[in-house]
């Protein structure tokens, strides 16, 4: 899709240095060349030199008229998603990427298209039909070159509906339709915790918390106003790196200034975090945030020692006393890479049960929905292997005794930061008494415990 109005604006900003966008065929050929999807066996200095290493998905694509920059492009499931955002300033010298607002808008639009197309990637007929509807959907999502709604899945592919303009001039572009019925609001806080533990004196364990607040507001009116507050318990770690949805009408600047890059001080903003907004018609993420929590939810130690043809393994896990001891599920998976199928297994678990996967290369320790009263569980075992085949997992990083345990868990009605939504603080300026539902959850994400008896592939050593 091309936008002549945007191209005219680009020419106005750059004057004689403007590089015109070539034809679709020429642009595609140049992009494939830049992405090394054609002629990758040929060394081309401007593309392949070691002094030019891309650390992002932003490229400079060489065309007959000059170098097109910034071209945002990435591959996903066999498809290439690309766009050329408008830079609202001169391109000489090139401005820093963080100052180009069009890049984040273009990325959001492309990710919306990915979200719309990806579920159908295994069905060619369905994917072709969806790609055929994209043009109609883009007329709604990005009518004049500026993305108004990046949630492509929420749009109606029927062209007849596109012709109907909102009857209320106050209705924002992101409210694609109006709701009729009893008002109700659903809010869910989802926190994900990433962790890497090494159980070594000279290596620092790391953990990070990422939160998202998802809302679904079924409220009558063309532009209903809603105010929602996030609260923290006393002495709870403050929310940082807060990013809000474009439907939020105003926000305290101090809330957005708290960054995880800077050390925490006494003046940091710790709530309540108020968000006044005009909600879209569909489910959306009101905001994202991070937080620096003092401890990971589960502390672990993994030891794997090779003795001849056998492996001796020991896993100890401890649930921190501040964590709610009520899981929807909790399990530890112990993969064995670059080895044959497990032929013999002797083990002892203090709690839960141990299962062997069908391909016999993975141990699954199902801890269940609760830790015992001691909050500690342990597993010891001796593992022997048969002859390796092609179907067994390989890994170039996890060789020898370099190995890990990966934890999977979900704790409903709990967040690591303690963040919660006070239902009584939700204000809705619309007729009728709404039904309000608030929930929260903590989910593991890339939660690794590395073998302390071998070097970890990525370490964070102290300066001493």
């Amino acid at each position: 899709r091309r936008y002549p109005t945007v191209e005219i604006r680009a020419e106005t900003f750059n004057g004689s240095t403007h590089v015109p966008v070539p034809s679709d065929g020429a642009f595609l050929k140049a992009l494939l060349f830049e992405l090394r999807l054609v002629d990758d066996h040929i060394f081309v200095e401007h593309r392949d030199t070691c002094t030019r290493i891309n650390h992002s998905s932003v490229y400079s694509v060489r065309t007959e008229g000059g170098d097109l920059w910034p071209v945002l492009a990435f591959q996903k499931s066999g498809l290439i998603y690309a766009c050329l955002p408008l830079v609202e300033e001169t391109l000489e010298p090139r401005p820093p990427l963080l100052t180009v607002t069009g890049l984040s808008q273009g990325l959001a639009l492309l990710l919306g298209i990915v979200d719309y197309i990806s579920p159908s990637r295994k069905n060619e007929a369905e994917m072709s039909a969806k790609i055929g509807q994209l043009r109609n959907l883009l007329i709604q999502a990005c009518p004049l070159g500026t993305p108004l709604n990046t949630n492509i899945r929420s749009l109606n592919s029927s062209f007849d509906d596109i012709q109907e303009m909102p009857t209320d001039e106050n209705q924002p572009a992101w409210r694609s339709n109006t709701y009729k019925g009893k008002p109700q609001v659903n809010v869910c806080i989802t926190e994900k915790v990433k962790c890497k533990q090494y159980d070594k004196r000279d290596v620092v364990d790391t953990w990070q918390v990422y939160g998202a607040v998802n809302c679904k507001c079924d409220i009558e009116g063309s532009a209903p106003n809603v105010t929602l507050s996030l609260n923290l318990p006393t002495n709870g770690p403050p929310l940082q790196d807060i990013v809000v949805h474009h439907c939020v009408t105003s926000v305290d600047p101090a809330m957005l200034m708290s960054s995880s890059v800077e050390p925490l001080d006494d003046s940091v903003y710790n709530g309540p975090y108020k968000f006044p907004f005009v909600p879209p018609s569909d489910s959306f993420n009101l905001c994202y945030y991070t937080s620096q929590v003092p401890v990971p939810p589960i502390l672990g130690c993994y030891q794997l020692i090779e003795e001849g043809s056998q492996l001796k393994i020991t896993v100890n896990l401890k649930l921190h006393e501040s964590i709610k001891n009520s899981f929807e599920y909790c399990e530890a998976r112990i993969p064995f890479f670059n080895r044959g199928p497990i032929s013999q297994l002797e083990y002892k678990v203090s709690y839960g049960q141990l299962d062997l996967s069908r391909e016999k290369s993975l141990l699954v320790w199902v801890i269940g929905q609760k830790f015992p009263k001691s909050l500690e569980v342990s597993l010891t075992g001796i593992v022997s292997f048969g002859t390796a085949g092609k179907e067994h997992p390989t890994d170039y990083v996890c060789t020898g005794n370099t190995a890990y345990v990966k934890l999977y868990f979900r704790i409903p009605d709990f967040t690591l930061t303690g963040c919660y939504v006070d239902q009584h603080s939700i204000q809705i300026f619309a007729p009728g008494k709404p039904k309000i539902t608030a929930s929260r959850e903590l989910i593991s994400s890339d939660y690794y415990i590395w073998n302390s008896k071998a070097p970890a592939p990525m370490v964070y050593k102290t300066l001493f």
Side-chain angles (χ1 to χ4, degrees), residues 189 229-233 270-273 417-422 425 440:
I189 302 174
S229 293
L230 298 180
N231 297 292
L232 293 174
N270 55 7
Y273 304 86
T417 60
C419 182
Y420 66 96
V421 175
D422 182 0
S425 71
R440 54 185 187 160

Side-chain angles (χ1 to χ4, degrees), residues 16-38:
S16 60
T17 62
H18 173 68
V19 178
V21 181
S23 66
D24 290 355
F27 175 76
L28 176 60
K29 185 178 179 180
L31 179 62
L32 292 175
F33 183 80
E34 180 63 32
L35 296 177
R36 295 179 59 86
L37 296 175
V38 293

Side-chain angles (χ1 to χ4, degrees), residues 18-312:
H18 173 68
V19 178
V21 181
S23 66
D24 290 355
F27 175 76
L28 176 60
K29 185 178 179 180
L31 179 62
L32 292 175
F33 183 80
E34 180 63 32
L35 296 177
R36 295 179 59 86
L37 296 175
V38 293
D39 296 335
D40 63 325
H41 60 287
I42 302 173
F43 176 80
V44 181
E45 186 168 353
H46 82 270
R47 180 190 70 180
D48 303 320
T49 176
C50 292
T51 58
R52 186 184 169 208
I53 299 174
N54 257 4
H55 296 289
S56 67
S57 297
V58 179
Y59 299 89
S60 176
V61 175
R62 183 159 293 187
T63 67
E64 287 187 3
D67 289 353
L68 274 180
W69 182 91
V71 175
L72 181 60
F74 58 87
Q75 297 180 65
K76 181 78 173 176
S77 302
L79 295 175
I80 301 171
Y81 297 83
C83 70
L84 177 60
L86 174 67
V87 180
E88 297 185 279
E89 55 186 301
T90 58
L91 292 175
E92 296 294 341
R94 285 184 181 175
L97 292 180
L98 288 175
T99 66
V100 182
T101 56
L103 280 172
S104 56
Q105 293 176 333
L107 180 60
L109 184 63
L110 291 180
L111 291 177
I113 295 173
V114 171
D115 186 50
Y116 167 71
I117 289 179
S118 286
S120 309
R121 63 186 179 86
K122 292 182 179 177
N123 186 325
E124 286 191 23
E126 189 177 332
M127 181 185 285
S128 297
K130 282 195 170 185
I131 291 175
Q133 293 167 354
L134 257 184
R135 184 170 182 82
N136 288 350
L137 295 172
L138 282 174
I139 292 174
Q140 302 171 73
C142 191
L144 295 173
T146 301
L148 301 178
N149 186 353
T150 57
N151 186 1
I152 307 297
R153 282 199 299 174
S154 70
L155 302 175
N156 195 320
S157 60
S158 169
F159 197 80
D160 295 336
D161 294 343
I162 301 171
Q163 309 300 332
E164 298 179 9
M165 297 298 292
T167 54
D168 190 334
E169 61 181 14
N170 295 320
Q171 182 170 334
W174 57 84
R175 281 186 69 80
S176 54
N177 53 64
T178 53
Y179 173 77
K180 298 290 184 184
K182 187 177 180 181
Q184 51 187 1
V185 175
N186 292 303
V187 184
C188 179
I189 302 174
T190 299
E191 285 188 357
K192 293 186 177 181
V193 55
K194 289 188 174 185
C195 190
K196 291 180 176 64
Q197 297 179 36
Y198 304 98
D199 190 35
K200 293 185 177 184
R201 287 185 177 181
D202 61 336
V203 185
V204 179
D205 293 346
T206 62
W207 57 92
Q208 299 164 302
V209 178
Y210 303 88
V213 181
N214 184 268
C215 299
K216 179 71 167 71
C217 302
D218 294 325
I219 306 170
E220 290 189 357
S222 57
N225 287 293
V226 180
T227 298
L228 182 148
S229 293
L230 298 180
N231 297 292
L232 293 174
T234 308
N235 299 324
L239 306 185
Q240 297 175 292
D241 305 323
I242 298 175
V243 179
V244 300
H245 192 273
H246 58 73
C247 71
V248 176
T249 53
S250 66
V251 72
D252 190 325
M255 186 192 306
L256 302 180
M257 294 300 289
S258 179
S259 169
S260 57
V261 177
E262 300 292 334
L264 293 174
D265 56 40
D266 294 336
S267 63
V268 71
Y269 191 91
N270 55 7
Y273 304 86
K274 285 193 173 184
F275 300 92
F277 59 96
V278 178
S281 309
D282 294 280
S283 173
F284 71 103
N285 285 328
L286 177 67
C287 70
Y288 299 91
Y289 62 84
T290 67
S291 185
Q292 299 181 41
V293 295
V295 291
I298 298 176
L299 290 166
C301 171
Y302 177 36
Q303 294 184 350
L304 179 149
I305 301 173
E306 194 163 3
E307 293 185 355
S309 60
Q310 295 181 329
L311 294 181
K312 284 189 173 182

Side-chain angles (χ1 to χ4, degrees), residues 433-454:
K433 186 177 181 181
K435 177 185 178 183
I436 298 173
T437 306
S439 60
R440 54 185 187 160
E441 60 183 358
L442 177 68
I443 301 174
S444 64
S445 172
D446 295 334
Y447 205 106
Y448 292 97
I449 300 169
W450 289 92
N451 177 22
S452 61
K453 296 294 184 181

